Each structure stands twice: as structure tokens, then as C-alpha cells.
Amino acid sequence: MTPNPDTDEARTSPEQRLLDTVLASFDRTPDERLRTVLTTLVRHLHAVVRETRLTEAEWQHAIAFLTRTGQASDDRRQEFILLSDVLGVSMQTVVVNDDATGGATEATVLGPFFVADAPAVQLGGDIAAGAPGEPCWVEGRITGTDGRPLAGARVEVWEADDDGFYDVQYADGRTAARARLETDTDGHYRFWALTPTPYPIPADGPVGDLLAATGRTPMRAPHLHFRVGHPEARTLTTHAFVAGDGLAVDSVFGLRDSLVVDFARAPRDAPTPDGRIVDSPTWTRARFDIVLTSNVT
Ligand code: BEZ
Ligand code: FE
């Protein structure tokens, strides 16, 4: 019987043969993990081309987009990480590696605005350093999954100001709304900060174009970043998200229900936890206890 050139098999078999040849070209990769990741990547990339019947013009368009993404990246801006963020790949990598078992606090994305060695602030101090926003008292306790309080844990916190900017986006290079603290002998921490508000991720580059072309918002759900470490536990990167209306969308898919915290609002004249006189019509307070995965000994 003459083969019918219009059958699926006749059309796809050269495609499948090509894929098989490409996969086989990795057979002698000495690093087995590298071979696994690359061949899986190739299989999925070929599937995209075949399932969408991608045109050559579309592939050129994609390559031009990736080229612009590279060109938009420098020491201060990493557009590829932003791309990974808005495609949910950063968060999927967090989820795959986060076995928050035994009651450990869940992890979420680090984001591009972390700065190592932020200024040390005493417990109860103000991390805002003049950044604009509503004052917010944040406190909590750090324990291990074994139930022990973690004294001397390193608590790094950072957030956007009320205008939606991190200090690293300021033109004058000053440090604000970020700090490093140490828990007391009972694992407690406390500090003044700013009530987190929704803000857009940088959207003036190719990733912003992608969001616009797909009708997506650049907004992040309001959050305060934490990175917490202790020699006896696994370091955790997470956020405290503000309960309320701002949680409907998160452009980088970092929101996890377990991380939503009540930031209770109080009027200026309500007594503050440390007696501070607040220079603002309102202030908020939040409690965020964190459980780190204890080192297995
Ligand atoms: C952030 O939360 O700071 C962030 C995370 C991902 C992309 C951009 C910003
Ligand atoms: Fe953030």
C-alpha cells in the first residue's frame, strides 16, 4: 500500500527522527546530571515547536526577544531573572526544592533586590531609615522544626517604600528599608518598618513588553522580604504577605496562603508596643513566627 503523505505519521516521523538524533548527540556527556537536564530541555523545546507548528518568523522573533533580554541586563539589572520570575520558573524552582515539612515555614522567591550585609539594626530599631510609608511594627519568634527557639538567628529584611521603590533603585545610592537583626536568647525579633504596599516589578524592558502583550499586570502582592539563617537550621528565603485586597494578583507567582499575615491598623494615638510616638495618622502591627528546618544531626 502506498503511504499516505497526509497522515500524521508521515508528517511527524522526520520530526521524531530529528529529535531522536539530537537527543542521541548527548549520549556521551560525562556529567549525567547535565545530560539529564539538557536532554529534557531539548525534548520540551522540540515539543513547543511541534505542538504550535512554530513558524520560522516566530522563532526569529523569540530570538530577538531573548537578545533584547540579554542586552537589558547589567550589574544592576538582571532581565533574565525577571523573565524567569514572570514565567513562574523562579517560583517553581523554589517549590521543587522546598520540602517545608515538619511545620517549617514555606519559602518564596528571593527577587532581585536582596543586598548582602545590610546594616545591622538593634532589636526594636527602625529599618525604614527615612523611607516614606506608614510605620509598621513587626515581631515574631524563630524556632526550629525540632521546636527549639533559635537564639542569635540572622534575620535579614527588606521591602519597597510607599512609592514602590527599593533603595537600590534610588538615584542617590542611600540604604533604606532594609536591615539585618539578630534574635534574642529566646528566638524573638522585633523592629519598626513600613506597612508593605503593592508595587510593580521593573516593567520598562523586554519583560514589561511581554507582560503588556499578554495583558498581564506587573504588580506584586504587598510583602516584606525575609531571609533567615542559623547554624543549626536551613536558611529560609520567604515573605510576609499583607492580608487583604492586594493579594488578587502576584506577577511572579510568589504568593503562598501560609505566608499571609494580618497587619492590624491602629490610629496614631493607640499605644505602640515600645512606647514610640508615631508621626503618622495610622500605624500597623504584624506578628510573623518563622520555623526553620532543623539540621539533621
Ligand atoms: C521582589 O519581590 O522584590 C521581586 C521579585 C521578583 C521580581 C521582581 C521583584
Ligand atoms: Fe519585593
Side-chain angles (χ1 to χ4, degrees):
M1 202 171 92
T2 325
N4 176 353
D6 291 334
T7 60
D8 276 358
E9 202 197 332
R11 196 173 60 238
T12 58
S13 62
E15 297 170 9
Q16 187 60 44
R17 272 204 306 279
L18 172 61
L19 172 60
D20 291 343
T21 307
V22 177
L23 291 175
S25 75
F26 292 102
D27 279 355
R28 284 188 304 281
T29 308
D31 182 332
E32 196 180 322
R33 177 72 182 155
L34 180 64
R35 175 159 52 90
T36 302
V37 173
L38 283 178
T39 52
T40 307
L41 178 70
V42 165
R43 252 188 288 113
H44 287 274
L45 280 175
H46 279 239
V48 171
V49 175
R50 294 170 71 187
E51 280 174 31
T52 63
R53 312 312 298 166
L54 198 73
T55 68
E56 290 174 47
E58 286 166 339
W59 184 231
Q60 288 305 324
H61 189 80
I63 286 176
F65 171 79
L66 291 173
T67 303
R68 285 200 307 282
T69 301
Q71 287 163 343
S73 303
D74 56 27
D75 292 349
R76 293 176 61 87
R77 177 169 182 150
Q78 232 301 353
E79 195 77 0
F80 272 112
I81 294 184
L82 210 54
L83 179 59
S84 153
D85 293 336
V86 302
L87 296 180
V89 178
S90 304
M91 189 58 193
Q92 191 67 281
T93 308
V94 168
V95 172
V96 162
N97 288 285
D98 180 29
D99 64 348
T101 48
T105 301
E106 288 186 310
T108 188
V109 289
L110 176 68
F113 300 122
F114 171 73
V115 175
D117 296 321
V121 164
Q122 295 304 308
L123 290 176
D126 189 351
I127 73 153
E134 179 186 39
C136 170
W137 174 260
V138 186
E139 64 189 328
R141 193 181 198 204
I142 317 284
T143 53
T145 44
D146 60 8
R148 284 190 299 161
L150 293 172
R154 182 183 172 100
V155 181
E156 292 168 284
V157 286
W158 66 104
E159 62 176 332
D161 67 19
D162 217 28
D163 299 323
F165 295 114
Y166 284 82
D167 58 358
V168 290
Q169 297 171 295
Y170 295 167
D172 63 6
R174 72 186 188 282
T175 298
R178 75 174 66 241
R180 142 175 73 92
L181 303 102
E182 232 180 65
T183 54
D184 65 18
T185 49
D186 213 19
H188 286 110
Y189 71 85
R190 55 198 162 272
F191 58 90
W192 282 99
L194 306 169
T195 312
T197 51
Y199 70 87
I201 63 169
D204 56 346
V207 170
D209 296 344
L210 183 149
L211 293 176
T214 52
R216 283 179 51 184
T217 173
M219 297 307 286
R220 285 227 58 201
H223 61 272
L224 173 61
H225 291 259
F226 280 81
R227 198 169 83 148
V228 185
H230 188 275
E232 288 160 29
R234 187 193 300 167
T235 297
L236 173 73
T237 301
T238 194
H239 300 353
F241 287 94
V242 182
D245 296 341
L247 301 180
V249 284
D250 187 27
S251 53
V252 304
F253 310 99
L255 178 62
R256 305 184 92 167
D257 291 348
S258 68
L259 303 178
V260 176
V261 175
D262 191 28
F263 283 68
R265 185 156 283 113
R268 184 202 312 256
D269 55 8
T272 54
D274 62 349
R276 173 183 173 179
I277 307 295
V278 169
D279 182 22
S280 160
T282 54
W283 57 281
T284 61
R285 68 183 296 170
R287 181 174 181 106
F288 187 47
D289 294 325
I290 295 174
V291 182
L292 302 187
T293 304
S294 302
N295 289 342
V296 183
T297 46

